[in-house]
Amino acid sequence: MRSIQRRLSLGLIGVMVVVGLVLAQTSLWLFELGLQRYLEAGLRNDSENLLVALVRGPQGLQLDERRLSPAYQRPFSGHYFRIDFADVHWRSRSLWDQELPRLDHPGLHSNLQLGPEGQKLLVLRTDYRRLGQAISISVAQDYTPVRDSFRRMQQIGLGLGLAGLLLILLLQRITVRRALRPLDRAREQIAQLQRGQRSQLDEQVPRELEPLVTQINHLLAHTEDSLKRSRNALGNLGHALKTPLAVLQSLASNEKLDPNPELRKLLLDQLEQVRQRLNRELNRARLSGDALPGAHLDCDAELPGLLATLNMIHGEHLHLSYVAPPGLHLPWDREDLLELLGNLLDNACKWADAEVRLTMTETAEGFSLAVEDDGPGIPADRREQVFSRGTRLDEQTDGHGLGLGIVRDIVDTWGGLLALDDSEWGGLKVVIELPKR
């Protein structure tokens, strides 16, 4: 979809071109019409002077050439006349060997040509009665210089019009950009919302944006409130179930179940799975804290605390480290990333002898996360089993407990890839490839 600024610019160009052409043509037509009327007044004055130059002679009407303008004597001077009465007509010497046609009706005419250079003539025919005779006087003026000047004026006007159009477009672009700045700020604030750097949009916006910002803020408040209620409900449920679980575990250990060791083992195993799942969800809620909805993971801020927490849980004998570019932000939900990394690092700590390392790199295609340890690892022929829900290789003496089903679901949701490999220390290396967003 085209931008608003481009639409406004194209619309303004179209309107200005149409309006400009109409105004220019109208102005030029009015100017030429006014100019012709001005020249017509001069031609009428010349016609009257010719009428005065007609005097009574011995043989009737005759033209007194002493009263004529010298311009009528020079060939193709640009000033011409023709006088018709009865069957006689006189013409100016400036016509040389040309004839000025007799016009059909009185008035101003501008479509005649004369002379070797094709002079455009503006001709005025006027009818009079003089000394009892009906006389028709046609006076003409070379209109070519005026037309040439008029054409040059058109070209200059066109150039000035184009320059004015470009100036107006430039000013319009600047004005539109300034007018659209609130939209740019709103876009930046929405990006900050996505990164979890704010929870609401600023309400100090132009009147046209107020309904949109109000609705977005209302939706954000509702979403944040729903997430808080869900988190609180999860915590309350977990704490509420701890006591019944403890009671059930105590009953499963009761001596009355001594005759049924298989039933006791089944009950204890299932209760232990429920307890571990509850602890994991409670730890996730604790690690998430009061993060804003959609907050991204700041590696420099989050990873040291996560590793320190795991060190306290699994003992100081482990050396936990991470390698990541300074200032790296992973563009996915913070809570999901903490669950993913916490799960992988926790399981690596369980089976590591002394070393656990998290490596994060940014590539042209996306991000690469790798968690490796120096534990016993997983045989290549059994690695696919750990992706199945409910499979727990840590219950076997030679296993490596991972429970990667949930991790794999998260990675699949993001369109990433999850693979198991051998660590350089001989243990397991979990590699996750995530695309850019």
Side-chain angles (χ1 to χ4, degrees), residues 5-264:
Q5 181 172 342
R6 183 175 298 178
R7 288 186 175 185
L8 290 175
S9 298
L10 292 177
L12 180 63
I13 290 174
V15 171
M16 290 191 62
V17 168
V18 173
V19 174
L21 288 176
V22 171
L23 289 178
Q25 290 299 324
T26 304
S27 300
L28 291 174
W29 177 74
L30 291 175
F31 180 79
E32 185 174 15
L33 184 63
L35 181 61
Q36 288 183 358
R37 292 292 176 265
Y38 172 78
L39 295 176
E40 180 183 0
L43 292 174
R44 194 173 297 277
N45 184 61
D46 292 343
S47 178
E48 292 174 354
N49 290 334
L50 288 172
L51 181 64
V52 172
L54 291 175
V55 297
R56 187 187 298 272
Q59 299 177 355
L61 282 178
Q62 66 180 29
L63 183 62
D64 187 359
E65 295 186 357
R66 293 174 299 176
R67 300 185 182 185
L68 298 180
S69 170
Y72 292 128
Q73 307 294 329
R74 297 193 305 272
F76 302 114
S77 64
H79 294 272
Y80 314 99
F81 71 82
R82 174 187 175 125
I83 303 175
D84 294 276
F85 69 98
D87 295 329
V88 181
H89 82 273
W90 292 313
R91 62 186 181 90
S92 63
R93 294 182 181 180
S94 58
L95 286 170
W96 196 246
D97 58 350
Q98 301 283 322
E99 281 289 344
L100 186 66
R102 182 172 183 176
L103 302 178
D104 296 333
H105 55 84
L108 189 67
H109 301 263
S110 59
N111 55 353
L112 297 181
Q113 290 188 2
L114 182 71
E117 297 180 357
Q119 296 178 350
K120 298 284 186 179
L121 299 182
L122 190 66
V123 185
L124 176 68
R125 172 185 166 179
T126 310
D127 293 341
Y128 302 98
R129 291 194 67 83
R130 177 77 168 171
L131 301 177
Q133 296 283 343
I135 302 173
S136 175
I137 300 177
S138 297
V139 289
Q141 179 179 343
D142 183 8
Y143 196 50
T144 304
V146 177
R147 281 184 176 272
D148 292 341
S149 300
F150 190 69
R151 192 172 293 111
R152 285 194 297 271
M153 187 184 68
Q154 283 182 313
Q155 295 172 351
I156 294 174
L158 179 61
L160 292 176
L162 290 176
L165 178 61
L166 293 176
L167 179 61
I168 291 175
L169 288 177
L170 177 62
L171 295 176
Q172 181 260 356
R173 188 176 183 85
I174 296 174
T175 303
V176 171
R177 280 189 175 180
R178 294 184 60 184
L180 294 180
R181 281 179 186 172
L183 290 178
D184 293 333
R185 287 195 294 267
R187 181 183 61 185
E188 177 60 29
Q189 291 176 13
I190 291 174
Q192 292 174 356
L193 285 173
Q194 186 180 9
R195 296 192 296 265
Q197 297 176 351
R198 61 166 57 234
S199 60
Q200 294 278 294
L201 298 178
D202 292 340
E203 296 186 353
Q204 299 298 323
V205 294
R207 186 178 304 169
E208 292 79 4
L209 294 180
E210 286 181 358
L212 176 62
V213 171
T214 300
Q215 290 298 323
I216 292 177
N217 285 340
H218 177 73
L219 178 61
L220 290 171
H222 177 72
T223 303
E224 186 175 1
D225 185 58
S226 298
L227 288 174
K228 286 182 178 179
R229 287 199 304 269
S230 299
R231 191 176 298 152
N232 292 335
L234 176 62
N236 294 337
L237 178 62
H239 289 294
L241 290 178
K242 278 189 173 183
T243 300
L245 279 176
V247 173
L248 289 174
Q249 285 181 322
S250 176
L251 291 175
S253 302
N254 194 286
E255 60 184 12
K256 293 180 180 181
L257 292 179
D258 289 344
N260 298 293
E262 294 182 359
L263 178 59
R264 172 181 288 170

Side-chain angles (χ1 to χ4, degrees), residues 381-392:
D381 58 347
R382 304 193 66 188
R383 288 175 181 171
E384 190 62 29
Q385 298 180 35
V386 300
F387 293 115
S388 302
R389 287 188 177 272
T391 301
R392 292 178 50 81

Side-chain angles (χ1 to χ4, degrees), residues 289-342:
D290 294 327
L292 295 173
H296 294 173
L297 184 69
D298 183 350
C299 295
D300 292 339
E302 302 284 357
L303 293 183
L306 179 61
L307 297 184
T309 301
L310 291 169
N311 247 139
M312 289 188 295
I313 294 174
H314 294 281
E316 297 294 336
H317 69 283
L318 288 178
H319 178 247
L320 278 73
S321 61
Y322 77 93
V323 179
L328 179 63
H329 285 74
L330 296 182
W332 287 276
D333 185 76
R334 174 181 177 271
E335 297 182 25
D336 290 337
L337 280 170
L338 286 175
E339 179 178 12
L340 183 147
L341 295 176

